[in-house]
Amino acid sequence: MEGTVFGPALEELQHVKSERGEILTKHFLDSCRHILPVIEKFGAAMTLVKSDIGGNITRLETLYSSNPSRFNILYSLVQVEIESKTAKSSSSCTNGLLWLTRAMDFLVALFQNLIEHDDWPMSQACTDAYNKTLKKWHGWLASSSFTVVMKLAPDRKKFMGGDRRQR
């Protein structure tokens, strides 16, 4: 997928793990930030999702930037909040990381659907990914809103930039 909107994120992912297999905070957050232009391709359908993901990235980056050597490993952001008993707060980095990874799980499932199911319209690919990843964490209102938002999703060909075999 080199040369596509996915390229920068895929490149950054190669640097996310340390030699010991730990997730490096800066590279993880940079990878997540590179996903934002992909989400922009959804247009109005994913404005709130993009804002939420961007906010969680910023929240984590703020703590990371306060002491990059201390927070070099992603888990250290969570560990400091566990120790200070603030991890369960809705405004915690731990909560931000939880929702950021849930959003990334949804996007991975969506992209897998788009690659594996050429015959699925965008709405089916999105709904299947949502049902597999986010639905269990959302209440009735969020689930209902998702159904409405999917009506705003772009056409599959427009999103993918034409026939995927041309890439």
Side-chain angles (χ1 to χ4, degrees):
M1 300 207 139
E2 190 177 310
T4 70
V5 72
F6 299 104
L10 293 172
E11 173 63 30
E12 192 66 42
L13 279 174
Q14 295 177 30
H15 308 287
V16 167
K17 286 191 178 181
S18 73
E19 290 179 8
R20 296 188 328 195
E22 301 159 316
I23 305 293
L24 301 171
T25 305
K26 181 174 181 355
H27 292 294
F28 173 78
L29 295 175
D30 287 348
S31 292
C32 292
R33 189 164 295 285
H34 285 307
I35 293 298
L36 295 176
V38 177
I39 297 169
E40 281 179 12
K41 292 184 67 148
F42 279 95
M46 294 282 197
T47 301
L48 186 59
V49 172
K50 181 182 175 228
S51 174
D52 190 46
I53 290 172
N56 286 326
I57 293 168
T58 299
R59 183 186 318 177
L60 292 160
E61 281 178 336
T62 299
L63 182 56
Y64 167 76
S65 296
S66 73
N67 192 337
S69 60
R70 178 179 183 190
F71 298 120
N72 185 45
I73 305 301
L74 190 60
Y75 179 71
S76 63
L77 297 172
V78 174
Q79 191 172 26
V80 75
E81 289 185 340
I82 290 171
E83 291 168 2
S84 67
K85 299 189 186 324
T86 58
K88 293 184 179 183
S89 164
S90 63
S91 62
S92 71
C93 285
T94 303
N95 191 55
L97 179 59
L98 174 65
W99 281 102
L100 181 58
T101 56
R102 286 175 178 170
M104 293 300 138
D105 287 345
F106 164 73
L107 292 169
V108 167
L110 171 59
F111 302 148
Q112 283 176 327
N113 282 344
L114 291 171
I115 290 168
E116 294 172 6
H117 304 283
D118 286 343
D119 57 327
W120 283 12
M122 181 64 86
S123 60
Q124 183 177 359
C126 289
T127 300
D128 181 78
Y130 178 79
N131 289 339
K132 288 178 180 173
T133 59
L134 293 174
K135 187 173 183 170
K136 63 186 160 204
W137 308 112
H138 284 165
W140 176 84
L141 183 58
S143 290
S144 299
S145 298
F146 178 83
T147 303
V148 172
V149 164
M150 281 307 93
K151 294 180 186 328
L152 301 172
D155 176 75
R156 178 193 175 100
K157 262 192 170 171
K158 181 180 179 187
F159 178 79
M160 296 296 285
D163 187 294
R164 75 180 181 96
R165 290 172 292 227
Q166 292 174 345
R167 282 191 218 123

